[in-house]
Amino acid sequence: MSQKSAFILLLLGLLVASPGHAQRQPSAPATSKPSPAKPKKLSRKERKELARRAEIEVVQSQGRQLSEKDREISESFFVDGIRYLLLEDYNKALERLLKAYALNPANAAINYKIAETNMLSGNLQDATNFAQAAVKLDSKNAYYHLLLAQIYGSQKQYDQAAQVYTTLIRDVPDSGYYLFNLADLYITQGKLNEALSTFNQAEKQFGPLDEISFKRQQIYLKQNNLDKALQEGEKLVQANPDEVRYVLAQAQMYAANNRFPDAIRVAEQALKAEPENPQARMILADIYRQQNNPTESQKQIKLAFESPALDVDNKVRILVDYIKQLPNPALTQPALELAAITTRVHPKEAKAFAIAGDIQTVTDHKAEARSNYMKAIRLDNSRFQIWQQVVLIDAELNQTDSLLRHTDQALELFPNQAPLWFYNGVAHILRKDAKKGVKSLEYGRKLATDNPELQAQFDTQLGDAYHELKDYAKSDAAYDAALVFDANNAQALNNYSYYLSLRGEKLEKAKEMSGKLVKQNPDNDTYLDTYGWVLYKMKDYAGARQQLEKALKTSRDATVVEHYGDVLYQLGEKEKAQAEWERAQKLGGASPLIDRKIKDKKLYE
């Protein structure tokens, strides 16, 4: 034989001996040229033409013995086809391999590689045919069986795939390990009894194995055969007393099925091996909770939280469950304690401080919540939701300076968030800078085009801001726009009607709005004062007196007291009016005219 022929045979032997694509994807040989783009799947017409040409060549080759020259040519086409297969050029690979097949159709390796190429290019029917041929030509080659099983599996033909594995295990020496593949295939099909039988067969051949016990346990659970599942678990624990994951799984299974004494026994066994194991603590905590022993349950969960081995994500998930149950007096303190432990054990985790802030917000510890939110922001300032929580707390606590500072900081990171512009505008208004407030509110309103409710809130604040700037036309337009969206907008109804009364304009409209609001909120002293003042401006002093006296049942606001004094003066009760003015002066916060009224004992408006 020539040296060239010997080299080709050597390469052929190496390729046939390799597992091929049925087991692994070989990497392409190193080359300085870029890898070719993955070709498209062969068209049906192309596959037919290649098969037709191969059939013609097969027919032509029949009836004659393969010559040395034809053998060399076939091997050359085969090697060439393998090269293109490694480069994932399946069209050229299949063309070369079919030429090799035409010269030597009884070669098992050629059939195998044609099957593999067809499988990889998506032609599963032809892949099946050639894989079957390869198995018939060489029934002792495990790789041929495995490829055929893989092709059947790709087509969800699980019964055929199972039969291939059965034949492989029976006919090919040293193939017992494939019992595990067969068992997994049975599980996929839901044939659990067959899977159990196969695992039992594997255990007879290989002896007790953790993998067999574990998978058998999972099958028993699917069959709702708890006793056998627990037996398998005990086998795993006894065989691996230091393997804590098996111990914990067994404890969890006992606990899930209300076998609490056994669950506690096994969980404590895990703690003997690993005294600080947080999973064991969490199992015990859940058991004691179900046994209505909150003290011991909280003790165990706190011990689990003290462990860095229980990662912050798990702690966050647990705390989220607490939030879902809050407010609950029995859980408030435990939740706060766990949140504090989380921030202490994970001082560099933003999510630890964020969840602590959430717990404190829900339990009405707003100042502490804001402090934790700010710590979270210092660790990670990219989460808008945390900034939003900080801003909301600033507003709730009426801390205008903080509100302005934090919205300014947040807007540098999130300039397109309309809610931040809203609160920024509110902060400027509260700081008596209505001009800047209007600028922020108008800009933010443009960003809220997809949120009509938020736009209505912007309109309400713009009504207040434009009033401060004495741009009454824009103020009225803003209030009207807010009321178009929500005719019961309390802030818009109250402020709009009050400012109209101060201006002495559209008093009938002001009366209608404030009267509507009082009807909806008959005990609200602010709304009663507004309605009373509108009636005062309409010279309905008796009606105004009635509304203001209702307001004074709950209000100690100097403005309300001063208004009441004004009404009394108009009704001719000047001494009573003087007494109310003096009371308003002592309360603080009355109008700038209060001193003149008292000094001159005369009404000034």
Side-chain angles (χ1 to χ4, degrees):
M1 183 183 297
S2 66
Q3 288 185 345
K4 177 182 177 183
S5 177
F7 170 74
I8 291 174
L9 283 175
L10 175 60
L11 179 57
L12 176 61
L14 290 172
L15 290 167
V16 172
S18 67
H21 286 78
Q23 298 302 308
R24 57 183 175 84
Q25 178 73 30
S27 57
T31 175
S32 58
K33 296 181 180 179
S35 299
K38 190 171 183 177
K40 295 181 180 178
K41 177 180 175 181
L42 284 174
S43 68
R44 186 176 181 183
K45 183 177 180 181
E46 288 172 329
R47 293 199 303 269
K48 281 188 175 182
E49 177 59 24
L50 286 171
R52 186 188 67 80
R53 285 161 51 192
E55 288 173 3
I56 292 172
E57 292 176 0
V58 168
V59 171
Q60 291 174 347
S61 67
Q62 288 176 346
R64 60 184 175 83
Q65 189 174 0
L66 190 66
S67 67
E68 183 68 19
K69 182 178 179 181
D70 285 345
R71 188 182 303 279
E72 287 187 5
I73 294 172
S74 176
E75 291 169 358
S76 178
F77 281 133
F78 180 81
V79 172
D80 216 19
I82 295 296
R83 182 168 61 85
Y84 282 116
L85 180 59
L86 294 175
L87 294 173
E88 299 182 8
D89 190 340
Y90 303 131
N91 289 357
K92 290 182 180 179
L94 193 56
E95 182 182 7
R96 269 55 168 193
L97 290 169
L98 285 172
K99 286 182 178 180
Y101 173 82
L103 291 167
N104 193 4
N107 185 286
I110 294 174
N111 281 271
Y112 170 68
K113 284 299 178 182
I114 293 174
E116 184 179 12
T117 305
N118 275 305
M119 182 191 71
L120 293 172
S121 62
N123 182 14
L124 296 179
Q125 184 56 56
D126 287 348
T128 303
N129 294 334
F130 281 101
Q132 287 173 339
V135 170
K136 287 179 182 178
L137 290 166
D138 185 358
S139 62
K140 300 300 183 182
N141 190 311
Y143 297 127
Y144 299 170
H145 290 274
L146 292 172
L147 179 62
L148 181 56
Q150 183 179 358
I151 294 168
Y152 280 135
S154 298
Q155 300 173 86
K156 300 189 185 304
Q157 296 176 355
Y158 298 123
D159 287 337
Q160 293 90 326
Q163 184 56 51
V164 172
Y165 278 119
T166 301
T167 303
L168 165 63
I169 295 163
R170 183 191 65 212
D171 295 345
V172 179
D174 301 321
S175 297
Y177 184 78
Y178 296 113
L179 285 165
F180 296 98
N181 300 62
L182 178 58
D184 288 342
L185 189 59
Y186 282 138
I187 292 173
T188 301
Q189 293 177 273
K191 296 182 176 181
L192 302 182
N193 288 329
E194 288 86 343
L196 283 172
S197 177
T198 305
F199 280 129
N200 291 338
Q201 187 179 346
E203 189 172 57
K204 289 178 181 178
Q205 183 168 346
F206 298 105
L209 293 173
D210 292 348
E211 180 182 356
I212 293 175
S213 291
F214 180 76
K215 290 193 173 182
R216 200 153 48 194
Q217 183 185 53
Q218 301 309 302
I219 292 172
Y220 287 137
L221 287 173
K222 288 182 179 180
Q223 294 178 325
N224 294 317
N225 193 336
L226 177 62
D227 289 337
K228 286 194 174 181
L230 289 170
Q231 287 174 13
E232 290 295 332
E234 288 293 346
K235 287 181 185 178
L236 281 170
V237 171
Q238 291 171 11
N240 305 274
D242 296 327
E243 190 66 60
V244 175
R245 63 191 177 101
Y246 292 142
V247 181
L248 291 174
Q250 187 72 355
Q252 188 66 60
M253 196 181 307
Y254 277 127
N257 291 279
N258 299 323
R259 300 269 292 268
F260 296 138
D262 286 324
I264 293 172
R265 170 180 59 79
V266 178
E268 289 178 345
Q269 180 180 337
L271 288 173
K272 289 179 181 177
E274 293 182 9
E276 296 182 1
N277 187 285
Q279 283 77 25
R281 298 290 181 189
M282 291 302 301
I283 292 170
L284 288 171
D286 188 55
I287 293 170
Y288 289 128
R289 179 187 60 79
Q290 293 185 64
Q291 291 182 327
N292 199 27
N293 186 347
T295 302
E296 189 60 31
S297 177
Q298 187 63 15
K299 173 185 174 182
Q300 293 296 331
I301 199 170
K302 285 173 69 176
L303 288 170
F305 267 57
E306 289 285 358
S307 172
L310 184 65
D311 64 47
V312 68
D313 290 328
N314 277 315
K315 289 172 183 172
V316 168
R317 280 192 288 271
I318 294 167
L319 289 173
V320 167
D321 286 337
Y322 272 87
I323 290 174
K324 292 176 182 177
Q325 300 175 70
L326 294 172
N328 180 337
L331 295 179
T332 295
Q333 192 57 36
L336 289 170
E337 290 175 357
L338 293 177
I341 293 172
T342 303
T343 58
R344 175 165 49 77
V345 176
H346 304 279
K348 295 184 179 180
E349 289 284 355
K351 62 186 71 175
F353 292 98
I355 193 66
D358 292 342
I359 294 281
Q360 290 163 333
T361 298
V362 175
T363 57
D364 202 28
H365 293 74
K366 299 295 175 62
E368 297 91 332
R370 183 177 58 183
S371 175
N372 273 317
Y373 285 137
M374 291 307 300
K375 289 175 182 177
I377 285 171
R378 282 193 283 273
L379 290 166
D380 177 9
N381 65 2
S382 65
R383 289 181 58 191
F384 167 68
Q385 293 82 357
I386 299 178
W387 282 103
Q388 189 173 39
Q389 286 295 98
V390 169
V391 168
L392 288 172
I393 292 173
D394 288 337
E396 287 184 44
L397 296 178
N398 293 317
Q399 295 185 358
T400 305
D401 290 343
S402 294
L403 181 62
L404 184 59
R405 182 174 67 257
H406 290 146
T407 51
D408 281 341
Q409 291 171 349
L411 283 169
E412 291 180 7
L413 298 167
F414 307 99
N416 295 322
Q417 286 292 345
L420 294 177
W421 287 105
F422 175 81
Y423 283 106
N424 186 258
V426 169
H428 281 300
I429 294 171
L430 292 173
R431 293 190 61 175
K432 308 301 181 183
D433 193 341
K435 188 174 182 180
K436 286 185 178 179
V438 164
K439 186 176 179 180
S440 293
L441 291 169
E442 290 286 12
Y443 186 83
R445 191 184 187 283
K446 294 175 183 177
L447 297 173
T449 53
D450 61 342
N451 189 339
E453 183 177 359
L454 182 56
Q455 276 196 322
Q457 294 181 40
F458 274 107
D459 289 327
T460 303
Q461 292 298 328
L462 283 166
D464 294 351
Y466 279 123
H467 172 80
E468 292 298 321
L469 294 174
K470 295 182 171 51
D471 192 337
Y472 301 132
K474 287 186 178 179
S475 176
D476 291 356
Y479 284 133
D480 286 332
L483 291 170
V484 166
F485 175 78
D486 179 7
N488 295 314
N489 183 323
Q491 183 179 344
L493 288 171
N494 182 73
N495 292 6
Y496 193 8
S497 56
Y498 184 66
Y499 292 148
L500 287 175
S501 72
L502 292 180
R503 287 152 46 193
E505 299 176 5
K506 305 176 187 177
L507 292 178
E508 284 296 336
K509 181 175 183 176
K511 179 182 178 182
E512 179 185 352
M513 291 189 294
S514 58
K516 176 182 180 180
L517 193 56
V518 165
K519 187 176 181 180
Q520 294 172 347
N521 305 272
D523 299 321
N524 186 295
D525 51 43
T526 298
Y527 302 157
L528 287 165
D529 173 59
T530 297
Y531 188 37
W533 194 245
V534 170
L535 295 176
Y536 173 87
K537 297 293 281 189
M538 298 178 78
K539 301 188 185 307
D540 181 0
Y541 302 126
R545 179 177 189 167
Q546 182 182 17
Q547 299 303 319
L548 289 168
E549 285 178 348
K550 288 181 182 179
L552 287 170
K553 290 179 180 179
T554 56
S555 176
R556 290 179 53 81
D557 184 273
T559 300
V560 180
V561 175
E562 185 178 1
H563 284 169
Y564 184 51
D566 293 352
V567 169
L568 292 174
Y569 187 91
Q570 294 286 12
L571 290 171
E573 300 181 30
K574 296 182 179 180
E575 290 184 2
K576 289 184 179 180
Q578 181 76 9
E580 294 301 321
W581 288 339
E582 290 175 357
R583 187 158 72 96
Q585 185 187 50
K586 290 179 181 178
L587 288 170
S591 75
L593 297 172
I594 192 68
D595 293 337
R596 288 182 63 191
K597 291 177 183 180
I598 293 171
K599 180 180 178 183
D600 298 341
K601 299 182 180 181
K602 182 179 178 182
L603 177 63
Y604 292 98
E605 294 182 322

